[in-house]
C-alpha cells in the first residue's frame, strides 16, 4: 500500500523518468523510507515524514537546507535534496502527507553494531569533520524542531506522566526496569560544566546513521539529518559512543551480551582527535557525562513509550520498546561503572 503511495509521490520529483525499483526500508523508528533503485543500483532515498513526531516540518526543512551547503567538502560526502516539479523541497500529497527525496550515496554501507576498532575510529573522525563544517553555519538561522529533545528533565517528566496513566499490566511488566531507571537517575547527575557552547548538532548519531565506503572502509558522512538543530556536543558524542562500546543490538534481550568496551571508546576518541575538531575544556569534561546520559535518555524514552502503549516509535514486535529500555539502561549502567576510565581516556587522547 505504502509502496504504491511512494511510487505516486516519486512522480512529483525532478528526476529522470525510469522504471525504478522501490523497496521499503525497515530501519528507523520514525519516518517511512524507501530505497529507489535503477537496475539494481540504489539512486535515491524517498521518505514519508512522520508528522506526529516532526510537528514543525517547515523548520525541519529550513534547518536541513541551511546546513547542506556547508557539508560540501573534499573530506565529506554530501547528499543532495531533490526538488519537486513545483520547485519545492517537499512534496505534499492529497492527504497532506509530506515526502522528501534525497540522493543515495553510492557504494556505501552502514552498520547497526560493530566490534571493529577501525570503524569506531572512522566514526569519530567523520563526526569531528561534520562538527567542524557546521561550526560555520550561523546558529541564529537554525531553531529547535523538537523542543527539549535531549533534555533529561523533560524526559523524566514525560516518564512520570506515563507512569500515572499506564495500564496495570504494563506497569507490572515494566516494574523491574522502572526501579532500575530510578537507580540510574540518582547517579547520573555529575558536575556538568555550566559554560558549554551551543553548537549545531546532529542529535541522532547512532552508528547506523554513519555511512562508510564499501571499498575503502573510510567513513563518508552522517545521514538522517532530521534532528539537526542547536545542541551540545556531549550528546552527539554519547549517542554515537553507546552504539560503539556495546556490540549488541539496541533491542537485545539478553543483557549478558551487553558490554562496555573501552578500547572502542579509545578508537572513537582517536578518530575525533584526528578530525582536528577543537573542543573547549568544558566540552571535554562533559563527554563522559554524555556517554551515560544518552543511553539512559533513549532507555527512558523507550520505557515511557511502552507505558504509553507504543504511541511514538514504530515497533516491530509487541515488547520492543521494553526490550530497548532494558538494553539501553544496561549500556548506561555499564558506562557509569566505567566513567573514570572513560574520563581518563578523554584526557589522554583529547587533552584537557
Ligand atoms: C529514532 O527513526 P530513527 O531510528 O532515526 C529517534 C532517535 C532514537 C532512535 C532509536 C526523532 O530515530 O532519537 O535514537 O529512534 N528519533 C526521533 O535508536 O525521536
Ligand atoms: Mg533519526
Amino acid at each position: 500500500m505504502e509502496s504504491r503511495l511512494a511510487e505516486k509521490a516519486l512522480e512529483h520529483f525532478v528526476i529522470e523518468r525510469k522504471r525504478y525499483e522501490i523497496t521499503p526500508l525497515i530501519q528507523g523508528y520514525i519516518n517511512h523510507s524507501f530505497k529507489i533503485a535503477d537496475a539494481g543500483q540504489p539512486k535515491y532515498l524517498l521518505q514519508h515524514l512522520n508528522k506526529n513526531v516532526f510537528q514543525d516540518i517547515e523548520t525541519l526543512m529550513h534547518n536541513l537546507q541551511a546546513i547542506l551547503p556547508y557539508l560540501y567538502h573534499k573530506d565529506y560526502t554530501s547528499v543532495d535534496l531533490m526538488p519537486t516539479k513545483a520547485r519545492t523541497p517537499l512534496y505534499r500529497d492529497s492527504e497532506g502527507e509530506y515526502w522528501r527525496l534525497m540522493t543515495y550515496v553510492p557504494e556505501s554501507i552502514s552498520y547497526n553494531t560493530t566490534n571493529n576498532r577501525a570503524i569506531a575510529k572512522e566514526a569519530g573522525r567523520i563526526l569531528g569533520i561534520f562538527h567542524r563544517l557546521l561550526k560555520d553555519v550561523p546558529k541564529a538561522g537554525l531553531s529547535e524542531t523538537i523542543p527539549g529533545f535531549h533534555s533529561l528533565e523533560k524526559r523524566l517528566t514525560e516518564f512520570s506522566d506515563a507512569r500515572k496513566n499506564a495500564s496495570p499490566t504494563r506497569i507490572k511488566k515494566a516494574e523491574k526496569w522502572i526501579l532500575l531507571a530510578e537507580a540510574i537517575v540518582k547517579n547520573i547527575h555529575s558536575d556538568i560544566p555550566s559554560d558549554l557552547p551551543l553548537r549545531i548538532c546532529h542529535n541522532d548519531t547512532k552508528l547506523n546513521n554513519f555511512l562508510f565506503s564499501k571499498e575503502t572502509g573510510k567513513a563518508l558522512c552522517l545521514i538522517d539529518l532530521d534532528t539537526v538543530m542547536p545542541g551540545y556536543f556531549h550528546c552527539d558524542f554519547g549517542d554515537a559512543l553507546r552504539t560503539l562500546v556495546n556490540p549488541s543490538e539496541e533491542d537485545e534481550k539478553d543483557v549478558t551480551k551487553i558490554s562496555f568496551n573501552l578500547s572502542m571508546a579509545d578508537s572513537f576518541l582517536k578518530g575525533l582527535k584526528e578530525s582536528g575538531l577543537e573542543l573547549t575544556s568544558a566540552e571535554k569534561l562533559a563527554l563522559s557525562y554524555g556517554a551515560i546520559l544518552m543511553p539512559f535518555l533513549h532507555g527512558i524514552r523507550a520505557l515511557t513509550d511502552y507505558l504509553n502503549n507504543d504511541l511514538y516509535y514504530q515497533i516491530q514486535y509487541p515488547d520492543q520498546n521494553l526490550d530497548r529500555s532494558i538494553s539501553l539502561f544496561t549500556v548506561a549502567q555499564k558506562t557509569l561503572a566505567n566513567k573514570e576510565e572513560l574520563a581518563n581516556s578523554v584526557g589522554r587522547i583529547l587533552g584537557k
Side-chain angles (χ1 to χ4, degrees):
M1 170 61 192
E2 260 243 305
S3 291
R4 178 78 199 105
L5 290 178
E7 198 180 328
K8 290 193 79 170
L10 193 60
E11 287 170 12
H12 293 269
F13 289 89
V14 186
I15 53 172
E16 207 184 325
R17 298 272 69 103
K18 287 210 166 156
R19 269 207 162 274
Y20 292 103
E21 299 112 43
I22 303 178
T23 322
L25 299 173
I26 47 160
Q27 240 173 35
Y29 294 101
I30 308 291
N31 294 326
H32 284 169
S33 304
F34 302 84
K35 186 162 79 179
I36 311 296
D38 174 20
Q41 292 300 315
K43 291 277 182 215
Y44 304 101
L45 183 77
L46 177 68
Q47 288 184 299
H48 175 192
L49 301 186
N50 183 326
K51 282 197 297 191
N52 179 33
V53 168
F54 298 115
Q55 299 195 349
D56 187 357
I57 290 197
E58 220 171 279
T59 309
L60 180 158
M61 289 305 290
H62 172 82
N63 285 356
L64 179 61
Q65 287 178 294
I67 64 153
L68 285 180
Y70 289 82
L71 295 176
Y72 286 94
H73 188 271
K74 65 174 177 44
D75 298 333
Y76 193 90
T77 308
S78 54
V79 288
D80 290 317
L81 198 55
M82 303 304 291
T84 66
K85 289 177 180 165
R87 301 283 156 196
T88 52
L90 285 179
Y91 165 63
R92 190 159 184 249
D93 70 16
S94 53
E95 305 290 316
E97 296 297 318
Y98 291 101
W99 297 81
R100 178 179 66 201
L101 189 70
M102 301 193 76
T103 49
Y104 201 98
V105 178
E107 298 306 313
S108 64
I109 184 164
S110 66
Y111 307 99
N112 280 343
T113 61
T114 185
N115 43 32
N116 180 335
R117 277 184 270 170
I119 290 181
K121 186 171 180 205
E122 274 300 298
R125 190 184 61 80
I126 210 75
L127 180 66
I129 293 179
F130 179 84
H131 273 271
R132 259 181 44 205
L133 298 178
L134 292 194
K135 208 166 180 294
D136 298 332
V137 179
K139 271 190 276 304
L142 267 78
S143 338
E144 263 194 325
T145 43
I146 305 180
F149 191 49
H150 290 330
S151 155
L152 180 59
E153 206 187 335
K154 171 184 156 147
R155 298 307 184 186
L156 289 174
T157 306
E158 289 172 347
F159 175 55
S160 133
D161 292 345
R163 282 175 75 177
K164 287 182 204 136
N165 303 319
S167 76
T169 332
R170 289 210 172 202
I171 287 275
K172 178 106 204 60
K173 234 174 148 179
E175 205 173 9
K176 198 173 153 200
W177 308 110
I178 294 176
L179 292 174
L180 180 57
E182 287 173 341
I184 300 175
V185 93
K186 282 201 195 104
N187 291 312
I188 215 167
H189 267 298
S190 59
D191 8 285
I192 317 152
S194 54
D195 50 348
L196 291 169
L198 211 52
R199 290 181 185 262
I200 306 235
C201 289
H202 180 284
N203 292 309
D204 192 8
T205 48
K206 53 186 178 158
L207 176 61
N208 63 13
N209 277 336
F210 288 77
L211 292 188
F212 297 83
S213 159
K214 274 187 190 166
E215 197 196 328
T216 65
K218 286 268 168 207
L220 301 173
C221 60
L222 276 140
I223 51 167
D224 186 15
L225 304 172
D226 287 333
T227 45
V228 171
M229 55 181 150
Y232 295 105
F233 185 75
H234 64 265
C235 294
D236 272 3
F237 175 83
D239 216 359
L241 196 82
R242 73 179 175 90
T243 55
L244 292 166
V245 292
N246 162 39
S248 47
E249 294 279 348
E250 192 169 301
D251 56 2
E252 177 57 62
K253 292 188 223 7
D254 179 358
V255 292
T256 63
K257 291 193 182 145
I258 294 172
S259 60
F260 179 92
N261 185 341
L262 187 64
S263 67
M264 290 292 277
D266 285 0
S267 299
F268 181 58
L269 284 163
K270 284 177 190 158
L272 261 185
K273 173 81 184 166
E274 192 183 310
S275 76
L277 174 70
E278 283 180 27
L279 297 172
T280 67
S281 303
E283 284 182 303
K284 289 179 201 167
L285 274 178
L287 294 184
S288 41
Y289 165 70
I292 302 160
L293 174 73
M294 293 314 292
F296 179 76
L297 265 191
H298 287 305
I300 204 90
R301 289 176 60 196
L303 188 56
T304 301
D305 200 38
Y306 176 76
L307 296 174
N308 285 338
N309 296 330
D310 313 309
L311 290 176
Y312 184 91
Y313 295 108
Q314 290 175 22
I315 50 167
Q316 307 293 327
Y317 59 90
D319 283 351
Q320 192 180 20
N321 267 323
L322 194 58
D323 290 346
R324 284 181 55 225
S325 75
I326 295 166
S327 131
L328 286 155
F329 286 155
T330 311
V331 177
Q333 246 184 339
K334 301 231 163 179
T335 312
L336 202 50
N338 284 277
K339 193 179 174 192
E340 249 176 63
E341 289 80 356
L342 179 60
N344 287 340
S345 289
V346 170
R348 193 182 70 251
I349 299 165
L350 299 184
K352 301 267 178 218

